[in-house]
Amino acid sequence: MTAAPWKTLLASQLKSNIELQGVTAAYASLATVRPDNTPANRTVVFRGFAGEDHRLETGWKSELLVITSDKRSWKMKDIAANPTAELNWYMLGTQEQFRLHGRVHTVSSQDDCADLVRSVVKSGDAGSTADLATRAFLTRTQNGFNWQAERLRQWYRMDAHLRGTFTRETPQPLEIEDVDSTGWFVNRDPEKQRLLEVGYDNFVILLLEVEYMDYLKLPTGERYMHTQSAGHWVIRKLSG
């Protein structure tokens, strides 16, 4: 599977901008349509491409962008009514804008996106790792990729303070101390383990399946449109 040119460009420029401005380069705006047909917009954090980790080899790759959410949030109602969305990304360090238009799919404790599994393909053998998220993921993908394994991996990767906001009770840092033989998260404090499981039930990953990308390089005025035609990505220069 050869990476789509939009993905290669986005990943490369994101890496450059993280070096220039830090992790805030991963912040973008997700626009959706409310059930009453009015627009909605909010800042989200790009969590990487489904099945992938930029730091190490997991054995899988895809072109699906991952965003995390709480199933109780308003955007979940928007997406349920209309899954069409646009992710607008202004990268300050290099002064570039990426507008990714597509369809959002949800993976929660109840929804599994079985039809999208084919979008994640093998990329080779995974390396050995002490990273808890990857250890859990590899344990749960021994018989093939599945979305609950990816959802669990993203839960492991969350900051402990942010993880704590997914509970229905007073937020507190929820650390994951270990992973058991099935890949499940472990905290040796029974109360924190209970809260971790409550929070995980509210935890959702959103998958943006890109249909086209509008790319603008502000310093030069160059603008390109990345679209699909007959199963292939085509790049068309619009200006500059």
Side-chain angles (χ1 to χ4, degrees):
M1 176 184 176
T2 303
W6 67 261
K7 177 186 176 183
T8 302
L9 176 63
L10 178 66
S12 172
Q13 297 312 97
L14 178 59
K15 180 179 179 182
S16 296
N17 278 270
I18 287 175
E19 292 172 354
L20 289 168
Q21 69 181 83
V23 295
T24 57
Y27 296 175
S29 297
L30 179 68
T32 56
V33 180
R34 297 187 182 98
D36 64 0
N37 286 326
T38 58
N41 203 352
R42 77 286 291 160
T43 302
V44 295
V45 180
F46 172 57
R47 300 292 180 181
F49 291 95
E52 299 183 22
D53 190 316
H54 69 278
R55 302 162 300 178
L56 48 87
E57 179 58 65
T58 65
W60 301 92
K61 62 182 178 179
S62 77
E63 293 170 358
L64 299 167
L65 289 85
V66 178
I67 298 163
T68 56
S69 184
D70 190 312
K71 71 179 184 182
R72 301 164 295 178
S73 72
W74 283 103
K75 64 178 168 289
M76 298 304 296
K77 297 179 176 65
D78 297 351
I79 293 165
N82 184 347
T84 301
E86 190 161 285
L87 191 67
N88 185 49
W89 216 321
Y90 179 64
M91 297 190 183
L92 181 63
T94 54
Q95 298 181 56
E96 294 165 288
Q97 179 175 259
F98 297 81
R99 291 170 56 197
L100 299 111
H101 178 94
R103 178 184 178 88
V104 176
H105 306 264
T106 62
V107 179
S108 67
S109 57
Q110 289 82 35
D111 304 311
D112 214 15
C113 289
D115 58 324
L116 270 188
V117 169
R118 66 183 184 278
S119 300
V120 185
V121 299
K122 286 289 291 182
S123 62
D125 295 326
S128 58
T129 176
D131 177 75
L132 294 182
T134 306
R135 282 169 53 194
F137 179 72
L138 295 179
T139 297
R140 297 205 165 201
T141 55
Q142 291 180 15
N143 297 318
F145 182 86
N146 64 87
W147 286 117
Q148 290 305 321
E150 174 65 8
R151 176 171 164 260
L152 184 62
R153 182 176 77 95
Q154 294 293 343
W155 180 244
Y156 272 91
R157 295 179 68 193
M158 299 283 284
D159 173 83
H161 287 82
L162 186 56
R163 209 183 282 126
T165 66
F166 284 83
T167 68
R168 295 185 176 86
E169 302 166 41
T170 303
Q172 60 176 292
L174 293 177
E175 298 85 1
I176 294 176
E177 298 176 342
D178 204 352
V179 52
D180 71 13
S181 60
T182 70
W184 195 244
F185 47 83
V186 174
N187 187 300
R188 294 176 184 84
D189 180 327
E191 176 60 12
K192 286 193 173 183
Q193 179 67 25
R194 183 188 71 81
L195 290 172
L196 276 169
E197 293 177 5
V198 169
Y200 186 56
D201 186 62
N202 291 324
F203 181 69
V204 177
I205 59 173
L206 307 178
L207 308 167
L208 179 63
E209 183 179 17
V210 176
E211 296 173 357
Y212 64 81
M213 183 181 82
D214 186 343
Y215 166 70
L216 175 63
K217 189 172 184 178
L218 272 74
T220 62
E222 294 173 87
R223 184 182 175 194
Y224 297 88
M225 184 69 76
H226 292 237
T227 57
Q228 290 191 73
S229 177
H232 300 282
W233 284 96
V234 177
I235 305 172
R236 182 163 53 98
K237 189 172 185 178
L238 302 180
S239 65

